[in-house]
Amino acid sequence: MMPEKHEKETREDLFYFFVRFSENTKNVKNIIESKKDISPLFYVVPSKIVAKYVKDEHEYWIGLKRGKEGNRRIFRLGTNKKDYKIQTPFTEDYKNAWHLL
C-alpha cells in the first residue's frame, strides 16, 4: 500500500527499491541444508514509473468501486508479460537495473 503522495513523486533522482526474498527465511536450518540459492532479488524502479502505475491502478480501482473514493493504492511488478487491465511495469525490466541510477 502506498499513500497518495506516491502518485506525484516523479523526480529524476528518486528511485524505489523492491526486494523479494526467494524463500521463507523462518526455517533457516532447512534452507542451509538444501543449499538453495536464497539470494534476494532486487528491483530498481524510477519514481515516474511507480507514480504512473500507482495513479492508474487507483483510478482503475475507483472505477471498479463505481466512483467511490478510497485509499487503496498499490504498486505491483508484473511477471511473464501477462495481460493486465492497466499498463504494468514488468519484473524483467527492473530486476537488478542498477544502470538506471
Side-chain angles (χ1 to χ4, degrees):
M1 301 296 278
M2 302 182 95
E4 183 178 1
K5 71 178 185 177
H6 293 283
E7 292 182 5
K8 300 172 183 90
E9 292 286 350
T10 59
R11 294 186 351 236
E12 292 289 325
D13 63 343
L14 179 63
F15 293 84
Y16 290 83
F17 295 85
F18 297 94
V19 181
R20 178 176 177 231
F21 295 94
S22 316
E23 294 287 333
N24 181 348
T25 56
K26 289 182 181 177
N27 195 341
V28 176
K29 182 181 176 194
N30 285 348
I31 293 171
I32 292 170
E33 289 174 357
S34 71
K35 298 181 182 175
K36 288 184 180 178
D37 180 10
I38 60 166
S39 301
L41 301 175
F42 295 94
Y43 302 93
V44 181
V45 186
S47 61
K48 66 182 177 183
I49 301 297
V50 173
K52 180 176 179 357
Y53 181 84
V54 170
K55 184 177 187 302
D56 291 351
E57 194 280 335
H58 183 65
E59 288 174 359
Y60 175 74
W61 183 74
I62 288 172
L64 292 177
K65 301 286 282 180
R66 293 183 173 73
K68 294 179 185 173
E69 184 61 43
N71 289 326
R72 181 178 184 257
R73 288 175 176 83
I74 63 169
F75 180 77
R76 131 185 347 170
L77 286 170
T79 58
N80 301 325
K81 303 287 184 187
K82 288 183 188 176
D83 192 22
Y84 292 94
K85 300 288 184 191
I86 60 173
Q87 185 177 355
T88 304
F90 290 102
T91 54
E92 298 87 17
D93 298 330
Y94 300 101
K95 183 178 176 183
N96 293 320
W98 306 109
H99 65 279
L100 297 176
L101 300 177

